[in-house]
DNA sequence: AGTGGCGTTTTTGTATACATCCGTATTGAC
DNA sequence: GTCAATACGGATGTATACAAAAACGCCACT
């Protein structure tokens, strides 16, 4: 076999499989057969295994010795815990952003917010889902903490499938956008603690919203539970 | 070659190499030669590569395509950012612990605190370093958030080498223990916000303390910078 | 003497082969 | 008829072989 761009073969495989997991093509609990994946991607088992090892290390797949790899299936409780931590990290990012944002950060944040508004007005849930990610990333970047950016990005990615479900809940998009507006105001006003609390509340899955999330999960044909 | 406990060979290798990194046997910037490691552990390159992939995924080593793996060398700035996030997560754990701790958690926390006291009184820095980890782990566990426990444990591990240096700073051990005492009081009194703030302050590397840390790093013969 | 190009050597990335273990099904005994 | 034990198929874990790229050094040329 030719190796035209050999350096990134296993890297590509990792992204490919990871993408399949977060998009739902490989639902939680799926068995990840090495030979099957190998033939599917036209490579040998070696780079497949290396990709699975990486995904195992970041907690996306569970590698049971001698028993193969499966897509991790976090229960409702663990999903809740993940959102809890995400809320805290987002709050931290917002707090730092309020104190450290530059003119460039401000422009990016406002631009992302404007994009979200467009998607809300057109009622495009998928577009809002995408714009929402850019908006939050703008906050992470405005925190000017590279490590926090990495952590938030990674966790945000892992929560992708559940966040997508959340948006389907009635009116969630409009409510979310309203919260964004207040968050932007707090950050640009330099009100660190206000930004922290607003973002914590924005992410946290509290009361009814957690029930809604669980309902979405179970009504989706057990695919995610 | 026999494979008596084949299931965990690469797993052991991962822990072994990771241990070498956090203990300083493999200082930041070291090249991790695959054949060298393979012969050193008496295995082939395959499991070595799989172990390195995992370490690369969690950010302990940097894998440059076609150019080998090296132990990551975070600059002072990134180290500071990591402590910043650690402080936030610890604060969160303390806050949750204050609200959720059980009788068993209370016993473990007090026991760990007592062990710390013993080490302080005997002036044993290494013992305190060890007891300190148990103490903090007791807080993570009392938070009753499995995901938070995982996150805190992982980050705590990555910060190990720097924390060890910190303790060498004059009187740090006694000051640390005094802070522990107030943290225990706040948690057991159920004062969530107080526990959060105390733990944040306990971890955060602020003002002089960050300077001390950097000084320790640079005076250590550039091994860590 | 310094620099640039070319060949060698070392190392990484992938494929394949082999040994071991898990899961399952079939068969036999009670 | 049911349960258990064994054997077989299949998948994982590791080792080895091979291909390609990068690092290194050497020689020639300016």
């Amino acid at each position: 076999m030719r190796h035209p761009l050999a350096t990134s073969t296993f890297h590509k495989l990792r992204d490919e499989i990871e993408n399949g997991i977060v998009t739902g093509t490989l639902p939680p609990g799926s068995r990840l057969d090495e030979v099957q994946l190998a033939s599917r991607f036209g490579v040998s088992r070696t780079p497949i295994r290396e990709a699975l090892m990486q995904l195992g290390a970041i907690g996306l797949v569970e590698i049971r010795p001698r028993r193969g790899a499966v897509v991790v299936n976090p229960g409702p409780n663990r999903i809740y815990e993940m959102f809890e931590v995400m809320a805290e990290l987002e709050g931290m990012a917002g707090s730092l952003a309020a104190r450290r944002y530059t003119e460039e950060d401000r422009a990016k944040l406002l631009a992302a917010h404007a994009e979200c508004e467009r998607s809300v007005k057109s009622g495009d849930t998928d577009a809002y889902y995408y714009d929402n990610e850019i908006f939050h990333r703008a906050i992470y970047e405005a925190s000017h903490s590279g490590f926090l950016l990495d952590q938030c990005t990674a966790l945000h990615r892992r929560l992708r499938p559940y966040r997508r479900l959340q948006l389907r809940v009635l009116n969630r998009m409009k409510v979310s956008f309203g919260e964004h507006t207040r968050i932007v105001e707090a950050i640009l006003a330099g009100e660190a603690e206000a930004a922290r609390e607003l973002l914590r509340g924005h992410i946290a899955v509290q009361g009814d919203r957690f029930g809604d999330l669980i309902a979405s999960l179970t009504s989706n044909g057990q695919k995610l539970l």
Side-chain angles (χ1 to χ4, degrees), chain A residues 105-116:
Chain A
D105 297 325
R106 180 175 164 278
K108 275 192 187 172
L109 190 62
L110 287 173
H113 189 49
E115 276 302 312
C116 285

PDB file of all heavy atoms in Angstrom, chain A residues 105-116:
ATOM      1  N   ASP A 105     -11.244  40.017  20.840  1.00  0.00           N
ATOM      2  CA  ASP A 105     -12.186  39.102  21.474  1.00  0.00           C
ATOM      3  C   ASP A 105     -13.594  39.675  21.432  1.00  0.00           C
ATOM      4  O   ASP A 105     -14.560  38.960  21.153  1.00  0.00           O
ATOM      5  CB  ASP A 105     -11.782  38.858  22.933  1.00  0.00           C
ATOM      6  CG  ASP A 105     -10.432  38.186  23.047  1.00  0.00           C
ATOM      7  OD1 ASP A 105     -10.112  37.353  22.177  1.00  0.00           O
ATOM      8  OD2 ASP A 105      -9.701  38.499  24.000  1.00  0.00           O
ATOM      9  N   ARG A 106     -13.681  40.963  21.724  1.00  0.00           N
ATOM     10  CA  ARG A 106     -14.987  41.620  21.755  1.00  0.00           C
ATOM     11  C   ARG A 106     -15.664  41.521  20.392  1.00  0.00           C
ATOM     12  O   ARG A 106     -16.849  41.191  20.296  1.00  0.00           O
ATOM     13  CB  ARG A 106     -14.807  43.097  22.144  1.00  0.00           C
ATOM     14  CG  ARG A 106     -16.096  43.881  22.219  1.00  0.00           C
ATOM     15  CD  ARG A 106     -15.819  45.307  22.725  1.00  0.00           C
ATOM     16  NE  ARG A 106     -16.938  46.186  22.467  1.00  0.00           N
ATOM     17  CZ  ARG A 106     -17.168  46.796  21.294  1.00  0.00           C
ATOM     18  NH1 ARG A 106     -16.320  46.596  20.291  1.00  0.00           N
ATOM     19  NH2 ARG A 106     -18.226  47.555  21.133  1.00  0.00           N
ATOM     20  N   ALA A 107     -14.900  41.779  19.336  1.00  0.00           N
ATOM     21  CA  ALA A 107     -15.458  41.714  17.986  1.00  0.00           C
ATOM     22  C   ALA A 107     -15.951  40.303  17.665  1.00  0.00           C
ATOM     23  O   ALA A 107     -17.062  40.113  17.157  1.00  0.00           O
ATOM     24  CB  ALA A 107     -14.396  42.152  16.974  1.00  0.00           C
ATOM     25  N   LYS A 108     -15.129  39.318  18.005  1.00  0.00           N
ATOM     26  CA  LYS A 108     -15.516  37.933  17.716  1.00  0.00           C
ATOM     27  C   LYS A 108     -16.771  37.528  18.477  1.00  0.00           C
ATOM     28  O   LYS A 108     -17.668  36.873  17.940  1.00  0.00           O
ATOM     29  CB  LYS A 108     -14.369  36.989  18.093  1.00  0.00           C
ATOM     30  CG  LYS A 108     -13.309  36.824  17.011  1.00  0.00           C
ATOM     31  CD  LYS A 108     -12.390  35.660  17.369  1.00  0.00           C
ATOM     32  CE  LYS A 108     -11.220  35.559  16.403  1.00  0.00           C
ATOM     33  NZ  LYS A 108     -10.227  34.552  16.841  1.00  0.00           N
ATOM     34  N   LEU A 109     -16.814  37.931  19.740  1.00  0.00           N
ATOM     35  CA  LEU A 109     -17.962  37.566  20.575  1.00  0.00           C
ATOM     36  C   LEU A 109     -19.242  38.165  20.021  1.00  0.00           C
ATOM     37  O   LEU A 109     -20.264  37.487  19.883  1.00  0.00           O
ATOM     38  CB  LEU A 109     -17.718  38.050  22.007  1.00  0.00           C
ATOM     39  CG  LEU A 109     -18.698  37.560  23.074  1.00  0.00           C
ATOM     40  CD1 LEU A 109     -18.638  36.044  23.183  1.00  0.00           C
ATOM     41  CD2 LEU A 109     -18.376  38.204  24.419  1.00  0.00           C
ATOM     42  N   LEU A 110     -19.178  39.433  19.660  1.00  0.00           N
ATOM     43  CA  LEU A 110     -20.366  40.100  19.121  1.00  0.00           C
ATOM     44  C   LEU A 110     -20.765  39.495  17.776  1.00  0.00           C
ATOM     45  O   LEU A 110     -21.960  39.322  17.494  1.00  0.00           O
ATOM     46  CB  LEU A 110     -20.103  41.606  18.978  1.00  0.00           C
ATOM     47  CG  LEU A 110     -20.070  42.358  20.312  1.00  0.00           C
ATOM     48  CD1 LEU A 110     -19.633  43.809  20.105  1.00  0.00           C
ATOM     49  CD2 LEU A 110     -21.437  42.311  20.990  1.00  0.00           C
ATOM     50  N   ALA A 111     -19.774  39.164  16.967  1.00  0.00           N
ATOM     51  CA  ALA A 111     -20.083  38.558  15.667  1.00  0.00           C
ATOM     52  C   ALA A 111     -20.780  37.214  15.859  1.00  0.00           C
ATOM     53  O   ALA A 111     -21.789  36.917  15.202  1.00  0.00           O
ATOM     54  CB  ALA A 111     -18.800  38.385  14.859  1.00  0.00           C
ATOM     55  N   ALA A 112     -20.242  36.399  16.781  1.00  0.00           N
ATOM     56  CA  ALA A 112     -20.846  35.090  17.032  1.00  0.00           C
ATOM     57  C   ALA A 112     -22.264  35.251  17.564  1.00  0.00           C
ATOM     58  O   ALA A 112     -23.179  34.509  17.185  1.00  0.00           O
ATOM     59  CB  ALA A 112     -19.996  34.314  18.032  1.00  0.00           C
ATOM     60  N   HIS A 113     -22.438  36.245  18.428  1.00  0.00           N
ATOM     61  CA  HIS A 113     -23.767  36.482  18.992  1.00  0.00           C
ATOM     62  C   HIS A 113     -24.751  36.886  17.896  1.00  0.00           C
ATOM     63  O   HIS A 113     -25.902  36.444  17.878  1.00  0.00           O
ATOM     64  CB  HIS A 113     -23.681  37.578  20.060  1.00  0.00           C
ATOM     65  CG  HIS A 113     -24.942  37.742  20.847  1.00  0.00           C
ATOM     66  ND1 HIS A 113     -25.611  36.677  21.411  1.00  0.00           N
ATOM     67  CD2 HIS A 113     -25.681  38.845  21.149  1.00  0.00           C
ATOM     68  CE1 HIS A 113     -26.683  37.117  22.042  1.00  0.00           C
ATOM     69  NE2 HIS A 113     -26.761  38.434  21.891  1.00  0.00           N
ATOM     70  N   ALA A 114     -24.294  37.711  16.986  1.00  0.00           N
ATOM     71  CA  ALA A 114     -25.154  38.145  15.887  1.00  0.00           C
ATOM     72  C   ALA A 114     -25.555  36.966  15.007  1.00  0.00           C
ATOM     73  O   ALA A 114     -26.700  36.855  14.559  1.00  0.00           O
ATOM     74  CB  ALA A 114     -24.433  39.212  15.051  1.00  0.00           C
ATOM     75  N   GLU A 115     -24.609  36.047  14.795  1.00  0.00           N
ATOM     76  CA  GLU A 115     -24.925  34.859  14.001  1.00  0.00           C
ATOM     77  C   GLU A 115     -26.002  34.026  14.680  1.00  0.00           C
ATOM     78  O   GLU A 115     -26.919  33.505  14.038  1.00  0.00           O
ATOM     79  CB  GLU A 115     -23.665  34.017  13.795  1.00  0.00           C
ATOM     80  CG  GLU A 115     -22.804  34.466  12.626  1.00  0.00           C
ATOM     81  CD  GLU A 115     -23.559  34.469  11.300  1.00  0.00           C
ATOM     82  OE1 GLU A 115     -24.224  33.468  10.994  1.00  0.00           O
ATOM     83  OE2 GLU A 115     -23.499  35.500  10.589  1.00  0.00           O
ATOM     84  N   CYS A 116     -25.879  33.908  16.013  1.00  0.00           N
ATOM     85  CA  CYS A 116     -26.874  33.153  16.760  1.00  0.00           C
ATOM     86  C   CYS A 116     -28.247  33.793  16.571  1.00  0.00           C
ATOM     87  O   CYS A 116     -29.259  33.109  16.391  1.00  0.00           O
ATOM     88  CB  CYS A 116     -26.518  33.130  18.253  1.00  0.00           C
ATOM     89  SG  CYS A 116     -25.160  32.012  18.672  1.00  0.00           S
TER      90      CYS A 116
END
